[in-house]
């Protein structure tokens, strides 16, 4: 890639925008924006230096945070845990993964 943000736009048949996907210069998806009749939803992704997703945040139409998830990895880059939070910062759920990447525990 040339170092510029890459953008992909999808339209409904009548021409209005369905969604926009934006990628960083490394090809990582950094933002998804979905347009619906009465709302716009946005997901923003953050990445660590190794390219693994470290955080995913979901925003409401008014720009407030709906919820977010933070991801942990082992030294081999395998996801080991996902902790999801409500907008007030309380934990919504936790998922732990085994060495093969399968969800083993949810609470």
């Amino acid at each position: 890639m040339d170092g510029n943000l890459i953008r992909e736009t999808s339209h409904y048949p009548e021409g209005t925008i369905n969604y926009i996907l934006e990628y960083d210069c490394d090809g990582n998806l950094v933002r998804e924006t979905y347009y619906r009749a009465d709302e716009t939803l946005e997901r923003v992704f953050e990445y660590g230096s190794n390219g693994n997703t470290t955080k995913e945040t979901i925003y409401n139409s008014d720009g407030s945070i709906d919820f977010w998830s933070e991801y942990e990895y082992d030294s081999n880059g395998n996801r080991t845990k996902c902790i999801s939070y409500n907008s007030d910062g309380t934990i919504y759920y936790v998922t732990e993964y085994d060495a093969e990447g399968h969800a083993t525990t949810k609470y």
Side-chain angles (χ1 to χ4, degrees):
M1 303 214 182
D2 63 5
N4 294 320
L5 186 69
I6 305 299
R7 184 177 178 143
E8 174 184 346
T9 304
S10 172
H11 294 84
Y12 288 109
E14 75 279 358
T16 60
I17 296 175
N18 178 8
Y19 63 83
I20 296 173
L21 305 178
E22 297 176 63
Y23 300 86
D24 65 16
C25 60
D26 294 320
N28 296 314
L29 179 63
V30 294
R31 184 181 315 275
E32 295 177 332
T33 308
Y34 293 91
Y35 299 89
R36 302 296 178 253
D38 59 346
E39 65 182 347
T40 301
L41 301 175
E42 187 172 73
R43 288 182 8 162
V44 176
F45 301 89
E46 296 176 27
Y47 298 88
S49 60
N50 59 3
N52 287 331
T53 305
T54 56
K55 186 174 182 181
E56 174 184 355
T57 306
I58 310 297
Y59 293 92
N60 296 310
S61 292
D62 64 3
S64 65
I65 293 175
D66 185 20
F67 71 94
W68 77 91
S69 298
E70 295 177 359
Y71 303 96
E72 297 177 13
Y73 299 86
D74 64 20
S75 60
N76 295 318
N78 300 309
R79 184 176 292 172
T80 57
K81 186 183 282 187
C82 171
I83 304 172
S84 294
Y85 298 87
N86 293 306
S87 61
D88 64 3
T90 59
I91 294 176
Y92 175 65
Y93 70 87
V94 177
T95 305
E96 294 179 345
Y97 300 88
D98 64 19
E100 286 77 44
H102 303 107
T104 57
T105 307
K106 293 182 181 183
Y107 52 93

